[in-house]
Amino acid sequence: MTPQSDEDEVWRQIVASFNETAERDSADQPWPDSENVPEEPTRRVVRPPEFREVDTDLAEPEGESEPEREEEEEGHYVPPPPPPLPKLDLPTKLAWVALFGGPAYLLLAAMAEWEMEGWALFTAVAAFIGGFVALVVRMGDGPPNDSGWDDGAVL
């Protein structure tokens, strides 16, 4: 027999036994003890920790000295302060104001039930779209000026 005919025969056996029930040999094997679940699950009660009274004295506790406090604080990481935000030029500030100001005006006018004229609606929508376009155009597609000559991964 060729390997292809063996595969065809195995396939025919699988298709012929499709509607037959499985053998019951596996039903005779007991479950492992680790798989048995108790009939009634045990209940676990979780209580909040008890609050203890905190001394409001500013005095140092008697048994604790300054070196021991330093050891306690030694394992904590204190991140450095973040760098300041970059200064924005006037066109960028105006674009942000237009981007958020247009929808904010529409929302405020709708909530206050003001009667909005056509030119006000057009101006608010145009401000939103113009602010978005201005920010995208000013974003640029080149690398940052301070990135240096090597700004990518080496493969």
Side-chain angles (χ1 to χ4, degrees):
M1 289 183 112
T2 63
Q4 180 65 32
S5 63
D6 290 340
E7 288 180 25
D8 289 339
E9 183 61 32
V10 169
W11 182 251
R12 283 188 200 100
Q13 289 175 357
I14 291 172
V15 171
S17 64
F18 178 73
N19 291 327
E20 296 177 6
T21 58
E23 296 178 11
R24 290 292 193 168
D25 292 340
S26 63
D28 297 336
Q29 297 175 354
W31 282 76
D33 288 335
S34 62
E35 296 291 327
N36 290 334
V37 179
E39 290 181 19
E40 186 173 318
T42 57
R43 296 184 183 205
R44 197 171 100 188
V45 178
V46 179
R47 294 190 177 123
E50 295 180 19
F51 294 103
R52 61 183 181 138
E53 240 177 77
V54 178
D55 292 335
T56 56
D57 289 342
L58 297 178
E60 188 174 271
E62 293 177 17
E64 193 171 322
S65 63
E66 191 65 34
E68 290 177 3
R69 283 190 181 179
E70 289 177 7
E71 290 176 6
E72 290 177 5
E73 295 176 0
E74 186 175 325
H76 297 288
Y77 172 73
V78 177
L85 293 174
K87 300 291 181 193
L88 297 177
D89 55 346
L90 184 63
T92 304
K93 289 179 185 177
L94 290 176
W96 280 110
V97 167
L99 182 72
F100 290 113
Y105 170 75
L106 291 176
L107 182 65
L108 179 69
M111 290 177 65
E113 297 179 3
W114 293 341
E115 192 170 318
M116 292 182 275
E117 296 183 20
W119 66 270
L121 287 172
F122 176 76
T123 304
V125 172
F128 171 72
I129 293 172
F132 176 78
V133 169
L135 288 172
V136 169
V137 168
R138 295 180 56 81
M139 203 167 55
D141 59 350
N145 295 335
D146 60 348
S147 66
W149 64 273
D150 184 20
D151 62 341
V154 178
L155 300 177

PDB file of all heavy atoms in Angstrom, residues 54-59:
ATOM      1  N   VAL A  54      -4.201  56.801  65.759  1.00  0.00           N
ATOM      2  CA  VAL A  54      -2.946  57.408  65.337  1.00  0.00           C
ATOM      3  C   VAL A  54      -2.632  58.559  66.280  1.00  0.00           C
ATOM      4  O   VAL A  54      -3.482  59.395  66.560  1.00  0.00           O
ATOM      5  CB  VAL A  54      -3.053  57.913  63.882  1.00  0.00           C
ATOM      6  CG1 VAL A  54      -1.764  58.580  63.449  1.00  0.00           C
ATOM      7  CG2 VAL A  54      -3.414  56.774  62.963  1.00  0.00           C
ATOM      8  N   ASP A  55      -1.386  58.594  66.754  1.00  0.00           N
ATOM      9  CA  ASP A  55      -0.970  59.692  67.618  1.00  0.00           C
ATOM     10  C   ASP A  55      -0.834  60.952  66.787  1.00  0.00           C
ATOM     11  O   ASP A  55      -0.237  60.949  65.712  1.00  0.00           O
ATOM     12  CB  ASP A  55       0.379  59.379  68.284  1.00  0.00           C
ATOM     13  CG  ASP A  55       0.255  58.250  69.286  1.00  0.00           C
ATOM     14  OD1 ASP A  55      -0.861  58.057  69.808  1.00  0.00           O
ATOM     15  OD2 ASP A  55       1.266  57.580  69.549  1.00  0.00           O
ATOM     16  N   THR A  56      -1.372  62.021  67.291  1.00  0.00           N
ATOM     17  CA  THR A  56      -1.268  63.286  66.569  1.00  0.00           C
ATOM     18  C   THR A  56      -0.117  64.135  67.088  1.00  0.00           C
ATOM     19  O   THR A  56       0.056  65.265  66.649  1.00  0.00           O
ATOM     20  CB  THR A  56      -2.592  64.074  66.684  1.00  0.00           C
ATOM     21  OG1 THR A  56      -2.892  64.256  68.066  1.00  0.00           O
ATOM     22  CG2 THR A  56      -3.713  63.343  65.981  1.00  0.00           C
ATOM     23  N   ASP A  57       0.654  63.586  68.020  1.00  0.00           N
ATOM     24  CA  ASP A  57       1.808  64.326  68.521  1.00  0.00           C
ATOM     25  C   ASP A  57       2.850  64.452  67.428  1.00  0.00           C
ATOM     26  O   ASP A  57       3.069  63.545  66.640  1.00  0.00           O
ATOM     27  CB  ASP A  57       2.450  63.597  69.708  1.00  0.00           C
ATOM     28  CG  ASP A  57       1.565  63.661  70.952  1.00  0.00           C
ATOM     29  OD1 ASP A  57       0.659  64.529  70.973  1.00  0.00           O
ATOM     30  OD2 ASP A  57       1.791  62.857  71.865  1.00  0.00           O
ATOM     31  N   LEU A  58       3.497  65.580  67.384  1.00  0.00           N
ATOM     32  CA  LEU A  58       4.574  65.764  66.433  1.00  0.00           C
ATOM     33  C   LEU A  58       5.896  65.281  67.005  1.00  0.00           C
ATOM     34  O   LEU A  58       6.907  65.278  66.319  1.00  0.00           O
ATOM     35  CB  LEU A  58       4.681  67.241  66.039  1.00  0.00           C
ATOM     36  CG  LEU A  58       3.459  67.809  65.312  1.00  0.00           C
ATOM     37  CD1 LEU A  58       3.680  69.294  65.036  1.00  0.00           C
ATOM     38  CD2 LEU A  58       3.210  67.049  64.040  1.00  0.00           C
ATOM     39  N   ALA A  59       5.862  64.869  68.265  1.00  0.00           N
ATOM     40  CA  ALA A  59       7.089  64.403  68.909  1.00  0.00           C
ATOM     41  C   ALA A  59       7.477  63.048  68.336  1.00  0.00           C
ATOM     42  O   ALA A  59       6.652  62.265  67.884  1.00  0.00           O
ATOM     43  CB  ALA A  59       6.880  64.286  70.412  1.00  0.00           C
TER      44      ALA A  59
END
